[in-house]
Amino acid sequence: MISEKWMQISNGKISNVYLLYGTEAYFIEETIKKLKNKLEEDGEAEVIYFDLEEKNIEHVIYEADTLPFFSEKKLIIAKNAFFLKASEKGKEKIVHDTALLESWLKDPSSTAIVVFVAPYEKLDERKKITKAIKQTANVIEAAGLQIHDLKSWVLHEVSNEGKTITDEGVERLIESGGTNLVHLRTEIAKISTYIGEENEIDADTVKSLLVRTLEEDVFTLGNAYLSGRKSEAMAIYHDLLKRKEDPLKLNALIASQVRLMIQVSHLKKKGYHAQQIASQLKVHPYRVKLLFDNPLLHQEEKLLNTLNDLATVDLQLKSLNTNRDRILELFLLK
């Protein structure tokens, strides 16, 4: 679906208003990049950014209705359109006149391309403004890819670099690099540059060059702790501390991992397969795949006790201002 939208942009079929929503930053960045590149074909592109958590919607509308100086059309990026999602009243940094926006959407400026970016998993479909913008705008959902599509995307990006990659290399890249497409694209470009004239990327090359994500390190840390490999867990923990990671954040990530393991274990016992579990829990299928055959899932009592201990650690970390590094360290040594 998104490839069709990109093809329309490439062919010059550009809408006056776009709505980009979803949590996959890669698709948001690429869409904006393609719009900008298309405008630059006719000369210098006039691009204006607004953060809707800091500026009123009136600024966007005023800018859109003001004639451009350097080109036939200007590109206006309105980031963080939080008024399209469910929110707690009274906690917004800024209040937007959504009625004014609804009125403007009925007759948007013909000399501007306005892109509303809502980097959220869900929008509040009950709101009048959400309905209005969806009826008017060219809507593009920036959702994460499923496993099969993710592998195809990796192969495509590697091909764009003039390289090939083994099946094991693809698996290792996704396993180590996570599912964030912006991060994966950066790593693919880096690896391709490193191997120079060589054509093929294999698993060993990926392993030696890939920058590990925090999530992967915490995943390995959690597995090492639960499997009784204390020295490995401590080594990873101390490495994370050297990288200035906050113990409170690390504790929360470990707890999130253990909680997910408990949920996967529970649903697996009910007969759900991995794809169904991912859909039920609303997490990326690859995260479930990594856990699905983990023998630790059979130790549900141990996982529940660990989650309870992590809650105690969380309270200690929030209550004490000194020796915070030591608190989580003592937990890992248990």
Side-chain angles (χ1 to χ4, degrees), residues 284-295:
H284 197 281
Y286 204 80
R287 289 186 66 194
V288 176
K289 181 185 175 184
L290 290 174
L291 291 173
F292 197 71
D293 295 319
N294 192 321

Side-chain angles (χ1 to χ4, degrees), residues 89-157:
K89 289 186 177 181
K91 292 195 174 183
E92 300 92 344
K93 291 183 180 178
I94 194 168
V95 178
H96 292 282
D97 188 347
T98 55
L100 176 64
L101 177 57
E102 287 176 43
S103 176
W104 180 83
L105 286 169
K106 293 175 183 177
D107 185 25
S109 170
S110 61
T111 58
I113 300 164
V114 182
V115 181
F116 292 95
V117 180
Y120 319 114
E121 186 176 349
K122 289 184 179 180
L123 303 182
D124 190 342
E125 304 290 344
R126 300 167 298 177
K127 290 184 174 182
K128 285 180 64 180
I129 185 57
T130 304
K131 294 175 182 177
I133 200 168
K134 278 197 164 187
Q135 288 173 356
T136 306
N138 193 334
V139 181
I140 299 178
E141 183 179 3
L145 297 176
Q146 299 297 313
I147 294 176
H148 175 73
D149 294 329
L150 184 59
K151 291 180 178 179
S152 298
W153 179 86
V154 169
L155 291 171
H156 180 265
E157 290 297 309

